[in-house]
Amino acid sequence: QVQLVESGGGLVQAGGSLRLSCAASGRTFSRYHMGWFRQAPGKEREFVAVISCCGGSRTYYADSVKGRFTISRDNAKNTVYLQMNSLKPEDTAVYYCSAKRSGSTLLPTNTNEYDYWGQGTQVTVSS
């Protein structure tokens, strides 16, 4: 069982930055692919970014955030981060951290591929 707790959300002006953190419980954090998703009001939850497990550092991003967001992880701290720069009003959403036990080298980008989810943290970008 893995518990995920996000933090770092808030209100920021367009063009600003925020860094989200997701702290994970358990001793096998490094064995999980870690992802970030977001959900805006009235919309489906969508993929944002993923980072590979097992000491690797492969990453993959949604086109909408590529070049602006950076995902990283610190396995010693059981934490994954999402650095968000050049924020836009359309980035406003609840951001969720997710974990998938490694079983494939393919990086998961669909919600139904993940095993565990955090409770979410609100990010609001004002224009």
Side-chain angles (χ1 to χ4, degrees):
Q1 188 76 9
V2 174
Q3 291 185 324
L4 304 172
V5 179
E6 302 98 333
S7 61
L11 174 64
V12 64
Q13 289 188 333
S17 298
L18 281 175
R19 188 176 82 154
L20 305 183
S21 299
C22 173
S25 65
R27 296 178 293 175
T28 59
F29 173 75
S30 65
R31 299 179 187 175
Y32 286 81
H33 299 306
M34 299 299 297
W36 285 97
F37 287 75
R38 66 186 181 186
Q39 187 166 18
K43 294 188 177 181
E44 292 187 353
R45 193 169 297 188
E46 66 174 6
F47 167 77
V48 174
V50 60
I51 188 165
S52 60
C53 71
C54 312
S57 58
R58 290 182 297 133
T59 58
Y60 183 74
Y61 298 90
D63 287 344
S64 58
V65 307
K66 201 172 295 182
R68 299 187 299 122
F69 291 10
T70 303
I71 188 171
S72 61
R73 66 190 298 163
D74 185 336
N75 289 337
K77 296 182 178 179
N78 278 19
T79 301
V80 63
Y81 304 97
L82 186 68
Q83 177 67 44
M84 305 185 295
N85 298 329
S86 302
L87 282 161
K88 305 175 181 180
E90 52 263 44
D91 295 318
T92 295
V94 177
Y95 283 70
Y96 297 90
C97 174
S98 55
K100 173 181 169 54
R101 182 68 182 256
S102 62
S104 168
T105 57
L106 296 177
L107 295 180
T109 60
N110 294 314
T111 56
N112 59 9
E113 295 181 273
Y114 283 84
D115 303 309
Y116 301 102
W117 292 88
Q119 82 291 347
T121 185
Q122 177 70 47
V123 171
T124 303
V125 184
S126 64
S127 57

